[in-house]
Amino acid sequence: MMLSLQRASAFLILFLVAFLPPPQCAQDPGMVHYIYQRFRVLEQGLEKCTEATRAYIQDFQEFSKNISALLGRCQTYTSEYKSAVHNLALRVERAQREVDYLEYLREEDGCRESEDKTLAEELVQEAEEEKMIRTLLNASCDNMLMGIKSLKIVKKTTDTDGSWMKDAVSDSPKVYFFIGSRGNTFWEFANIRAFVEDSTKPAPRKLILTQSWQGTGQVIYKGFLFFHNQGTPNEIIKYNLQKRTVEDRMLLPGGAGRALVYQHSPSTYIDLAVDEHGLWAIHSGPGIQGHLVITKIEPGTLGVEHSWDTPCRSQDAEASFLLCGVLYVVYSSGGHGPHRINCVYDPLGTINEEDLPKLFFPRRPRSHSMIHYNPRDKQLYAWNDGNQIIYKVQTKRKQPLE
């Protein structure tokens, strides 16, 4: 700072010297006195500035010392506050653990009572569900499959896939013929003779649907055709054969139609079936690793009455059918014979595996496109490699429910 003032004084002197009068006027006493006075004023101003600067520096140093002392105290207080907060947090945590423990002790007795109550409610619910199932499947049917007695090839065609059937309930002799695994056209024959002998009169009637079917799981029940609507994952159509109109439709729940029902039937996603208990849907349920699901359907309203997850897998399966409320699944290795029933599921639990003999179908060159049970004539209607087949079955009475 002092060096700067000295440089400023020297510069000012040089500046004034530059404006001095020429030498001939240098001896003027008045001018000399005037210059001298101006220098004195300038020196006094510089001294005051120097003293003020020194005072400012001293004040600033004192201020810095005070600030440093205050910062030190703040750091000390901050450490003390952190320690106090940490100790408080530990005490709160310990108090919370004690409160949780007391709450656990208080609720333990209540939980035991709640568990007992829940268990009792579950037992009551299971009993009611079992009663409902027995009522639902309470028909004059207590037979179980014991064997496939014979095979009769009714007709031969060149179509690998298809389905054929009669009304499962009514006394109508008409035969219905669906060619292929999808389409909107099928044929109605007056009787089995007209179906077998193409030259027999009357000629078959051609029926055209407003929607196309998907797969080979169609059934005729009480004068109505039920089929899986092509292009939809889970829609079932109820078609009035007499009026030739769509009567109703429904969506099967539980992810039906998202996967094939049977590995060896690559076009069937929903397989409908009829037995002594009524109308059923067989499909593969998502989330249960390809196991089959059977759903009981009320044919009048198309409402779902109940569904069961079965232990039967869709892998290596080619077809299935229901007989007296029991699911029988037909399997084959690689889509070829032997065709055997390897999985049986009874919702009532009245059939044990040890009660069943080995159930085989006569050997065929390919897997079945469809196998449907007709509860009216107690026969199986099947389609295998273009052949329309009837299997006669052997049954016996199931064990009575306790």
Side-chain angles (χ1 to χ4, degrees), residues 12-56:
L12 183 59
I13 293 171
L14 292 176
F15 178 77
L16 294 174
V17 170
F19 289 93
L20 290 176
Q24 60 270 16
C25 300
Q27 301 299 322
D28 188 352
M31 181 62 67
V32 172
H33 179 73
Y34 172 76
I35 293 174
Y36 176 76
Q37 292 296 327
R38 298 306 298 172
F39 271 117
R40 290 288 298 173
V41 172
L42 180 61
E43 288 178 356
Q44 291 175 359
L46 290 177
E47 289 178 358
K48 291 180 179 179
C49 181
T50 301
E51 292 177 358
T53 302
R54 289 176 179 174
Y56 170 78

mmCIF file of all heavy atoms in Angstrom, residues 12-56:
data_model
loop_
_atom_site.group_PDB
_atom_site.id
_atom_site.type_symbol
_atom_site.label_atom_id
_atom_site.label_comp_id
_atom_site.label_asym_id
_atom_site.label_seq_id
_atom_site.Cartn_x
_atom_site.Cartn_y
_atom_site.Cartn_z
ATOM 1 N N LEU A 12 2.711 12.390 -9.492
ATOM 2 C CA LEU A 12 2.106 13.724 -9.382
ATOM 3 C C LEU A 12 3.167 14.818 -9.516
ATOM 4 O O LEU A 12 2.943 15.836 -10.164
ATOM 5 C CB LEU A 12 1.359 13.847 -8.039
ATOM 6 C CG LEU A 12 0.614 15.151 -7.807
ATOM 7 C CD1 LEU A 12 -0.441 15.382 -8.897
ATOM 8 C CD2 LEU A 12 -0.020 15.141 -6.428
ATOM 9 N N ILE A 13 4.294 14.608 -8.907
ATOM 10 C CA ILE A 13 5.388 15.585 -9.010
ATOM 11 C C ILE A 13 5.826 15.748 -10.437
ATOM 12 O O ILE A 13 6.009 16.879 -10.952
ATOM 13 C CB ILE A 13 6.568 15.185 -8.110
ATOM 14 C CG1 ILE A 13 6.141 15.291 -6.629
ATOM 15 C CG2 ILE A 13 7.802 16.049 -8.374
ATOM 16 C CD1 ILE A 13 7.170 14.714 -5.673
ATOM 17 N N LEU A 14 5.998 14.640 -11.119
ATOM 18 C CA LEU A 14 6.403 14.712 -12.530
ATOM 19 C C LEU A 14 5.343 15.425 -13.353
ATOM 20 O O LEU A 14 5.655 16.209 -14.264
ATOM 21 C CB LEU A 14 6.642 13.307 -13.077
ATOM 22 C CG LEU A 14 7.854 12.564 -12.497
ATOM 23 C CD1 LEU A 14 7.901 11.141 -13.060
ATOM 24 C CD2 LEU A 14 9.161 13.315 -12.860
ATOM 25 N N PHE A 15 4.082 15.166 -12.993
ATOM 26 C CA PHE A 15 2.981 15.804 -13.732
ATOM 27 C C PHE A 15 3.023 17.330 -13.528
ATOM 28 O O PHE A 15 2.874 18.104 -14.466
ATOM 29 C CB PHE A 15 1.635 15.215 -13.253
ATOM 30 C CG PHE A 15 0.448 15.845 -13.913
ATOM 31 C CD1 PHE A 15 0.099 15.501 -15.219
ATOM 32 C CD2 PHE A 15 -0.307 16.790 -13.235
ATOM 33 C CE1 PHE A 15 -0.996 16.102 -15.812
ATOM 34 C CE2 PHE A 15 -1.386 17.380 -13.828
ATOM 35 C CZ PHE A 15 -1.754 17.038 -15.123
ATOM 36 N N LEU A 16 3.267 17.765 -12.263
ATOM 37 C CA LEU A 16 3.322 19.199 -11.987
ATOM 38 C C LEU A 16 4.549 19.852 -12.622
ATOM 39 O O LEU A 16 4.501 20.989 -13.088
ATOM 40 C CB LEU A 16 3.308 19.441 -10.468
ATOM 41 C CG LEU A 16 1.999 19.038 -9.759
ATOM 42 C CD1 LEU A 16 2.167 19.200 -8.255
ATOM 43 C CD2 LEU A 16 0.844 19.897 -10.261
ATOM 44 N N VAL A 17 5.659 19.132 -12.602
ATOM 45 C CA VAL A 17 6.888 19.664 -13.198
ATOM 46 C C VAL A 17 6.674 19.932 -14.676
ATOM 47 O O VAL A 17 7.198 20.892 -15.257
ATOM 48 C CB VAL A 17 8.079 18.725 -12.959
ATOM 49 C CG1 VAL A 17 9.292 19.144 -13.775
ATOM 50 C CG2 VAL A 17 8.414 18.708 -11.468
ATOM 51 N N ALA A 18 5.881 19.071 -15.283
ATOM 52 C CA ALA A 18 5.652 19.246 -16.719
ATOM 53 C C ALA A 18 4.927 20.532 -17.013
ATOM 54 O O ALA A 18 5.012 21.077 -18.117
ATOM 55 C CB ALA A 18 4.865 18.044 -17.249
ATOM 56 N N PHE A 19 4.167 21.031 -16.032
ATOM 57 C CA PHE A 19 3.416 22.256 -16.243
ATOM 58 C C PHE A 19 4.090 23.487 -15.592
ATOM 59 O O PHE A 19 3.467 24.531 -15.462
ATOM 60 C CB PHE A 19 1.981 22.109 -15.685
ATOM 61 C CG PHE A 19 1.120 21.185 -16.518
ATOM 62 C CD1 PHE A 19 1.038 19.846 -16.180
ATOM 63 C CD2 PHE A 19 0.438 21.670 -17.624
ATOM 64 C CE1 PHE A 19 0.269 19.002 -16.918
ATOM 65 C CE2 PHE A 19 -0.339 20.816 -18.355
ATOM 66 C CZ PHE A 19 -0.440 19.479 -18.030
ATOM 67 N N LEU A 20 5.292 23.314 -15.076
ATOM 68 C CA LEU A 20 6.003 24.475 -14.506
ATOM 69 C C LEU A 20 6.277 25.523 -15.581
ATOM 70 O O LEU A 20 6.482 25.180 -16.757
ATOM 71 C CB LEU A 20 7.307 24.033 -13.854
ATOM 72 C CG LEU A 20 7.193 23.219 -12.544
ATOM 73 C CD1 LEU A 20 8.576 22.790 -12.093
ATOM 74 C CD2 LEU A 20 6.513 24.055 -11.461
ATOM 75 N N PRO A 21 6.403 26.725 -15.180
ATOM 76 C CA PRO A 21 6.729 27.797 -16.173
ATOM 77 C C PRO A 21 8.172 27.689 -16.633
ATOM 78 O O PRO A 21 8.976 26.995 -16.010
ATOM 79 C CB PRO A 21 6.450 29.080 -15.376
ATOM 80 C CG PRO A 21 6.617 28.705 -13.947
ATOM 81 C CD PRO A 21 6.164 27.303 -13.843
ATOM 82 N N PRO A 22 8.476 28.285 -17.671
ATOM 83 C CA PRO A 22 9.854 28.223 -18.183
ATOM 84 C C PRO A 22 10.847 28.787 -17.171
ATOM 85 O O PRO A 22 10.437 29.440 -16.210
ATOM 86 C CB PRO A 22 9.789 29.086 -19.458
ATOM 87 C CG PRO A 22 8.523 29.838 -19.373
ATOM 88 C CD PRO A 22 7.608 29.136 -18.507
ATOM 89 N N PRO A 23 12.125 28.562 -17.395
ATOM 90 C CA PRO A 23 13.131 28.919 -16.391
ATOM 91 C C PRO A 23 13.168 30.409 -16.066
ATOM 92 O O PRO A 23 13.476 30.772 -14.942
ATOM 93 C CB PRO A 23 14.450 28.485 -17.045
ATOM 94 C CG PRO A 23 14.046 27.396 -17.995
ATOM 95 C CD PRO A 23 12.699 27.741 -18.480
ATOM 96 N N GLN A 24 12.773 31.206 -17.020
ATOM 97 C CA GLN A 24 12.863 32.621 -16.716
ATOM 98 C C GLN A 24 11.876 33.056 -15.683
ATOM 99 O O GLN A 24 12.001 34.112 -15.058
ATOM 100 C CB GLN A 24 12.681 33.460 -18.011
ATOM 101 C CG GLN A 24 11.360 33.247 -18.718
ATOM 102 C CD GLN A 24 11.453 32.131 -19.723
ATOM 103 O OE1 GLN A 24 12.420 31.363 -19.626
ATOM 104 N NE2 GLN A 24 10.507 32.094 -20.682
ATOM 105 N N CYS A 25 10.847 32.207 -15.500
ATOM 106 C CA CYS A 25 9.842 32.560 -14.482
ATOM 107 C C CYS A 25 10.032 31.789 -13.198
ATOM 108 O O CYS A 25 9.181 31.817 -12.326
ATOM 109 C CB CYS A 25 8.449 32.333 -15.038
ATOM 110 S SG CYS A 25 8.043 33.282 -16.500
ATOM 111 N N ALA A 26 11.083 30.972 -13.092
ATOM 112 C CA ALA A 26 11.245 30.067 -11.941
ATOM 113 C C ALA A 26 11.571 30.834 -10.679
ATOM 114 O O ALA A 26 11.393 30.315 -9.583
ATOM 115 C CB ALA A 26 12.350 29.063 -12.228
ATOM 116 N N GLN A 27 12.083 32.112 -10.765
ATOM 117 C CA GLN A 27 12.496 32.828 -9.560
ATOM 118 C C GLN A 27 11.364 33.639 -8.968
ATOM 119 O O GLN A 27 11.559 34.393 -8.018
ATOM 120 C CB GLN A 27 13.680 33.770 -9.908
ATOM 121 C CG GLN A 27 14.878 33.064 -10.454
ATOM 122 C CD GLN A 27 15.433 32.075 -9.442
ATOM 123 O OE1 GLN A 27 15.442 32.381 -8.225
ATOM 124 N NE2 GLN A 27 15.960 30.943 -9.927
ATOM 125 N N ASP A 28 10.137 33.458 -9.490
ATOM 126 C CA ASP A 28 8.990 34.220 -8.974
ATOM 127 C C ASP A 28 8.641 33.678 -7.603
ATOM 128 O O ASP A 28 8.209 32.504 -7.499
ATOM 129 C CB ASP A 28 7.827 34.102 -9.949
ATOM 130 C CG ASP A 28 6.706 35.045 -9.536
ATOM 131 O OD1 ASP A 28 6.765 35.643 -8.460
ATOM 132 O OD2 ASP A 28 5.709 35.123 -10.318
ATOM 133 N N PRO A 29 8.805 34.497 -6.503
ATOM 134 C CA PRO A 29 8.566 33.971 -5.144
ATOM 135 C C PRO A 29 7.122 33.554 -4.952
ATOM 136 O O PRO A 29 6.828 32.568 -4.276
ATOM 137 C CB PRO A 29 8.939 35.156 -4.241
ATOM 138 C CG PRO A 29 9.805 36.040 -5.074
ATOM 139 C CD PRO A 29 9.380 35.883 -6.479
ATOM 140 N N GLY A 30 6.231 34.232 -5.505
ATOM 141 C CA GLY A 30 4.804 33.879 -5.322
ATOM 142 C C GLY A 30 4.471 32.510 -5.902
ATOM 143 O O GLY A 30 3.746 31.720 -5.296
ATOM 144 N N MET A 31 5.054 32.258 -7.076
ATOM 145 C CA MET A 31 4.792 30.955 -7.696
ATOM 146 C C MET A 31 5.416 29.833 -6.898
ATOM 147 O O MET A 31 4.780 28.764 -6.711
ATOM 148 C CB MET A 31 5.339 30.972 -9.134
ATOM 149 C CG MET A 31 5.108 29.676 -9.879
ATOM 150 S SD MET A 31 3.348 29.297 -10.090
ATOM 151 C CE MET A 31 2.868 30.638 -11.206
ATOM 152 N N VAL A 32 6.619 30.073 -6.397
ATOM 153 C CA VAL A 32 7.305 29.031 -5.609
ATOM 154 C C VAL A 32 6.517 28.729 -4.345
ATOM 155 O O VAL A 32 6.325 27.581 -3.950
ATOM 156 C CB VAL A 32 8.743 29.463 -5.281
ATOM 157 C CG1 VAL A 32 9.382 28.476 -4.317
ATOM 158 C CG2 VAL A 32 9.565 29.577 -6.554
ATOM 159 N N HIS A 33 6.013 29.783 -3.686
ATOM 160 C CA HIS A 33 5.249 29.570 -2.465
ATOM 161 C C HIS A 33 3.953 28.801 -2.748
ATOM 162 O O HIS A 33 3.535 27.924 -1.983
ATOM 163 C CB HIS A 33 4.951 30.937 -1.821
ATOM 164 C CG HIS A 33 4.145 30.828 -0.565
ATOM 165 N ND1 HIS A 33 4.708 30.355 0.612
ATOM 166 C CD2 HIS A 33 2.841 31.119 -0.312
ATOM 167 C CE1 HIS A 33 3.764 30.356 1.554
ATOM 168 N NE2 HIS A 33 2.602 30.824 0.998
ATOM 169 N N TYR A 34 3.381 29.139 -3.862
ATOM 170 C CA TYR A 34 2.116 28.449 -4.221
ATOM 171 C C TYR A 34 2.344 26.948 -4.448
ATOM 172 O O TYR A 34 1.594 26.087 -3.955
ATOM 173 C CB TYR A 34 1.541 29.096 -5.482
ATOM 174 C CG TYR A 34 0.346 28.349 -6.037
ATOM 175 C CD1 TYR A 34 -0.907 28.448 -5.431
ATOM 176 C CD2 TYR A 34 0.503 27.525 -7.159
ATOM 177 C CE1 TYR A 34 -1.965 27.766 -5.932
ATOM 178 C CE2 TYR A 34 -0.568 26.825 -7.652
ATOM 179 C CZ TYR A 34 -1.829 26.945 -7.030
ATOM 180 O OH TYR A 34 -2.894 26.237 -7.545
ATOM 181 N N ILE A 35 3.408 26.660 -5.149
ATOM 182 C CA ILE A 35 3.717 25.228 -5.420
ATOM 183 C C ILE A 35 4.050 24.512 -4.113
ATOM 184 O O ILE A 35 3.645 23.376 -3.883
ATOM 185 C CB ILE A 35 4.876 25.139 -6.425
ATOM 186 C CG1 ILE A 35 4.414 25.689 -7.787
ATOM 187 C CG2 ILE A 35 5.352 23.714 -6.563
ATOM 188 C CD1 ILE A 35 5.520 25.797 -8.822
ATOM 189 N N TYR A 36 4.768 25.190 -3.260
ATOM 190 C CA TYR A 36 5.141 24.569 -2.000
ATOM 191 C C TYR A 36 3.887 24.237 -1.192
ATOM 192 O O TYR A 36 3.747 23.176 -0.595
ATOM 193 C CB TYR A 36 6.076 25.507 -1.230
ATOM 194 C CG TYR A 36 6.455 25.015 0.142
ATOM 195 C CD1 TYR A 36 7.410 23.992 0.280
ATOM 196 C CD2 TYR A 36 5.872 25.559 1.291
ATOM 197 C CE1 TYR A 36 7.731 23.537 1.548
ATOM 198 C CE2 TYR A 36 6.190 25.091 2.544
ATOM 199 C CZ TYR A 36 7.123 24.062 2.674
ATOM 200 O OH TYR A 36 7.459 23.592 3.916
ATOM 201 N N GLN A 37 2.966 25.185 -1.136
ATOM 202 C CA GLN A 37 1.723 24.951 -0.383
ATOM 203 C C GLN A 37 0.918 23.769 -0.962
ATOM 204 O O GLN A 37 0.355 22.951 -0.235
ATOM 205 C CB GLN A 37 0.867 26.223 -0.384
ATOM 206 C CG GLN A 37 1.454 27.368 0.411
ATOM 207 C CD GLN A 37 1.566 27.048 1.899
ATOM 208 O OE1 GLN A 37 0.724 26.332 2.427
ATOM 209 N NE2 GLN A 37 2.598 27.557 2.573
ATOM 210 N N ARG A 38 0.941 23.688 -2.252
ATOM 211 C CA ARG A 38 0.174 22.595 -2.861
ATOM 212 C C ARG A 38 0.807 21.262 -2.523
ATOM 213 O O ARG A 38 0.127 20.259 -2.278
ATOM 214 C CB ARG A 38 0.133 22.768 -4.392
ATOM 215 C CG ARG A 38 -0.560 24.043 -4.861
ATOM 216 C CD ARG A 38 -1.963 24.191 -4.304
ATOM 217 N NE ARG A 38 -2.829 23.128 -4.725
ATOM 218 C CZ ARG A 38 -4.045 22.910 -4.285
ATOM 219 N NH1 ARG A 38 -4.538 23.712 -3.322
ATOM 220 N NH2 ARG A 38 -4.761 21.909 -4.739
ATOM 221 N N PHE A 39 2.138 21.217 -2.476
ATOM 222 C CA PHE A 39 2.816 19.980 -2.099
ATOM 223 C C PHE A 39 2.490 19.605 -0.664
ATOM 224 O O PHE A 39 2.335 18.429 -0.316
ATOM 225 C CB PHE A 39 4.349 20.130 -2.272
ATOM 226 C CG PHE A 39 4.813 19.767 -3.643
ATOM 227 C CD1 PHE A 39 5.410 20.731 -4.464
ATOM 228 C CD2 PHE A 39 4.682 18.465 -4.128
ATOM 229 C CE1 PHE A 39 5.843 20.410 -5.727
ATOM 230 C CE2 PHE A 39 5.131 18.175 -5.403
ATOM 231 C CZ PHE A 39 5.695 19.116 -6.214
ATOM 232 N N ARG A 40 2.407 20.594 0.209
ATOM 233 C CA ARG A 40 2.109 20.316 1.610
ATOM 234 C C ARG A 40 0.704 19.742 1.758
ATOM 235 O O ARG A 40 0.486 18.784 2.492
ATOM 236 C CB ARG A 40 2.214 21.621 2.428
ATOM 237 C CG ARG A 40 3.642 22.163 2.592
ATOM 238 C CD ARG A 40 4.446 21.291 3.555
ATOM 239 N NE ARG A 40 3.838 21.301 4.882
ATOM 240 C CZ ARG A 40 4.245 20.523 5.885
ATOM 241 N NH1 ARG A 40 5.239 19.654 5.680
ATOM 242 N NH2 ARG A 40 3.671 20.604 7.068
ATOM 243 N N VAL A 41 -0.190 20.302 1.038
ATOM 244 C CA VAL A 41 -1.577 19.776 1.094
ATOM 245 C C VAL A 41 -1.608 18.340 0.572
ATOM 246 O O VAL A 41 -2.267 17.451 1.135
ATOM 247 C CB VAL A 41 -2.518 20.683 0.287
ATOM 248 C CG1 VAL A 41 -3.910 20.058 0.169
ATOM 249 C CG2 VAL A 41 -2.617 22.053 0.950
ATOM 250 N N LEU A 42 -0.867 18.108 -0.489
ATOM 251 C CA LEU A 42 -0.852 16.762 -1.072
ATOM 252 C C LEU A 42 -0.223 15.762 -0.105
ATOM 253 O O LEU A 42 -0.732 14.639 0.063
ATOM 254 C CB LEU A 42 -0.084 16.803 -2.392
ATOM 255 C CG LEU A 42 0.030 15.475 -3.143
ATOM 256 C CD1 LEU A 42 -1.359 14.942 -3.511
ATOM 257 C CD2 LEU A 42 0.892 15.643 -4.400
ATOM 258 N N GLU A 43 0.868 16.168 0.568
ATOM 259 C CA GLU A 43 1.513 15.255 1.511
ATOM 260 C C GLU A 43 0.595 14.947 2.686
ATOM 261 O O GLU A 43 0.509 13.823 3.172
ATOM 262 C CB GLU A 43 2.833 15.872 1.993
ATOM 263 C CG GLU A 43 3.927 15.867 0.938
ATOM 264 C CD GLU A 43 5.206 16.536 1.450
ATOM 265 O OE1 GLU A 43 5.165 17.064 2.596
ATOM 266 O OE2 GLU A 43 6.208 16.509 0.735
ATOM 267 N N GLN A 44 -0.118 15.986 3.166
ATOM 268 C CA GLN A 44 -1.045 15.737 4.278
ATOM 269 C C GLN A 44 -2.164 14.776 3.869
ATOM 270 O O GLN A 44 -2.558 13.897 4.635
ATOM 271 C CB GLN A 44 -1.623 17.079 4.729
ATOM 272 C CG GLN A 44 -0.614 17.993 5.411
ATOM 273 C CD GLN A 44 -1.201 19.354 5.730
ATOM 274 O OE1 GLN A 44 -2.374 19.618 5.427
ATOM 275 N NE2 GLN A 44 -0.378 20.233 6.338
ATOM 276 N N GLY A 45 -2.674 14.944 2.652
ATOM 277 C CA GLY A 45 -3.730 14.026 2.166
ATOM 278 C C GLY A 45 -3.217 12.607 2.072
ATOM 279 O O GLY A 45 -3.908 11.644 2.423
ATOM 280 N N LEU A 46 -1.974 12.457 1.609
ATOM 281 C CA LEU A 46 -1.417 11.108 1.486
ATOM 282 C C LEU A 46 -1.209 10.479 2.863
ATOM 283 O O LEU A 46 -1.426 9.280 3.047
ATOM 284 C CB LEU A 46 -0.087 11.177 0.725
ATOM 285 C CG LEU A 46 -0.216 11.522 -0.766
ATOM 286 C CD1 LEU A 46 1.179 11.645 -1.391
ATOM 287 C CD2 LEU A 46 -1.010 10.440 -1.499
ATOM 288 N N GLU A 47 -0.786 11.332 3.853
ATOM 289 C CA GLU A 47 -0.592 10.775 5.192
ATOM 290 C C GLU A 47 -1.915 10.314 5.797
ATOM 291 O O GLU A 47 -2.015 9.262 6.422
ATOM 292 C CB GLU A 47 0.061 11.858 6.079
ATOM 293 C CG GLU A 47 1.513 12.138 5.728
ATOM 294 C CD GLU A 47 2.100 13.252 6.596
ATOM 295 O OE1 GLU A 47 1.326 13.800 7.416
ATOM 296 O OE2 GLU A 47 3.296 13.543 6.439
ATOM 297 N N LYS A 48 -2.974 11.124 5.600
ATOM 298 C CA LYS A 48 -4.288 10.712 6.109
ATOM 299 C C LYS A 48 -4.767 9.411 5.441
ATOM 300 O O LYS A 48 -5.329 8.524 6.078
ATOM 301 C CB LYS A 48 -5.311 11.813 5.881
ATOM 302 C CG LYS A 48 -5.082 13.057 6.743
ATOM 303 C CD LYS A 48 -6.144 14.102 6.450
ATOM 304 C CE LYS A 48 -5.925 15.347 7.337
ATOM 305 N NZ LYS A 48 -6.945 16.399 7.061
ATOM 306 N N CYS A 49 -4.524 9.321 4.167
ATOM 307 C CA CYS A 49 -4.935 8.091 3.440
ATOM 308 C C CYS A 49 -4.172 6.889 3.955
ATOM 309 O O CYS A 49 -4.726 5.814 4.130
ATOM 310 C CB CYS A 49 -4.696 8.308 1.947
ATOM 311 S SG CYS A 49 -5.197 6.894 0.940
ATOM 312 N N THR A 50 -2.895 7.121 4.258
ATOM 313 C CA THR A 50 -2.084 5.998 4.767
ATOM 314 C C THR A 50 -2.586 5.558 6.135
ATOM 315 O O THR A 50 -2.714 4.362 6.425
ATOM 316 C CB THR A 50 -0.610 6.419 4.852
ATOM 317 O OG1 THR A 50 -0.167 6.810 3.541
ATOM 318 C CG2 THR A 50 0.243 5.285 5.359
ATOM 319 N N GLU A 51 -2.881 6.564 7.007
ATOM 320 C CA GLU A 51 -3.368 6.220 8.348
ATOM 321 C C GLU A 51 -4.723 5.504 8.269
ATOM 322 O O GLU A 51 -4.980 4.539 8.991
ATOM 323 C CB GLU A 51 -3.487 7.500 9.177
ATOM 324 C CG GLU A 51 -2.141 8.140 9.514
ATOM 325 C CD GLU A 51 -2.296 9.448 10.280
ATOM 326 O OE1 GLU A 51 -3.487 9.825 10.487
ATOM 327 O OE2 GLU A 51 -1.271 10.048 10.646
ATOM 328 N N ALA A 52 -5.599 5.969 7.373
ATOM 329 C CA ALA A 52 -6.914 5.323 7.227
ATOM 330 C C ALA A 52 -6.765 3.885 6.725
ATOM 331 O O ALA A 52 -7.466 2.969 7.170
ATOM 332 C CB ALA A 52 -7.792 6.135 6.282
ATOM 333 N N THR A 53 -5.827 3.688 5.806
ATOM 334 C CA THR A 53 -5.609 2.337 5.269
ATOM 335 C C THR A 53 -5.092 1.411 6.361
ATOM 336 O O THR A 53 -5.525 0.255 6.481
ATOM 337 C CB THR A 53 -4.622 2.384 4.106
ATOM 338 O OG1 THR A 53 -5.144 3.263 3.099
ATOM 339 C CG2 THR A 53 -4.391 1.023 3.521
ATOM 340 N N ARG A 54 -4.164 1.925 7.183
ATOM 341 C CA ARG A 54 -3.635 1.098 8.275
ATOM 342 C C ARG A 54 -4.745 0.746 9.265
ATOM 343 O O ARG A 54 -4.841 -0.393 9.755
ATOM 344 C CB ARG A 54 -2.501 1.828 8.969
ATOM 345 C CG ARG A 54 -1.226 1.924 8.137
ATOM 346 C CD ARG A 54 -0.176 2.757 8.867
ATOM 347 N NE ARG A 54 1.061 2.832 8.087
ATOM 348 C CZ ARG A 54 2.096 3.582 8.429
ATOM 349 N NH1 ARG A 54 2.054 4.336 9.535
ATOM 350 N NH2 ARG A 54 3.178 3.589 7.678
ATOM 351 N N ALA A 55 -5.615 1.742 9.564
ATOM 352 C CA ALA A 55 -6.715 1.479 10.507
ATOM 353 C C ALA A 55 -7.687 0.425 9.931
ATOM 354 O O ALA A 55 -8.176 -0.463 10.631
ATOM 355 C CB ALA A 55 -7.449 2.777 10.817
ATOM 356 N N TYR A 56 -7.918 0.529 8.627
ATOM 357 C CA TYR A 56 -8.819 -0.439 7.977
ATOM 358 C C TYR A 56 -8.234 -1.845 8.029
ATOM 359 O O TYR A 56 -8.936 -2.818 8.320
ATOM 360 C CB TYR A 56 -9.059 -0.007 6.530
ATOM 361 C CG TYR A 56 -9.763 -1.058 5.698
ATOM 362 C CD1 TYR A 56 -11.151 -1.248 5.820
ATOM 363 C CD2 TYR A 56 -9.040 -1.855 4.811
ATOM 364 C CE1 TYR A 56 -11.786 -2.212 5.080
ATOM 365 C CE2 TYR A 56 -9.686 -2.819 4.071
ATOM 366 C CZ TYR A 56 -11.062 -3.003 4.202
ATOM 367 O OH TYR A 56 -11.692 -3.977 3.473
#
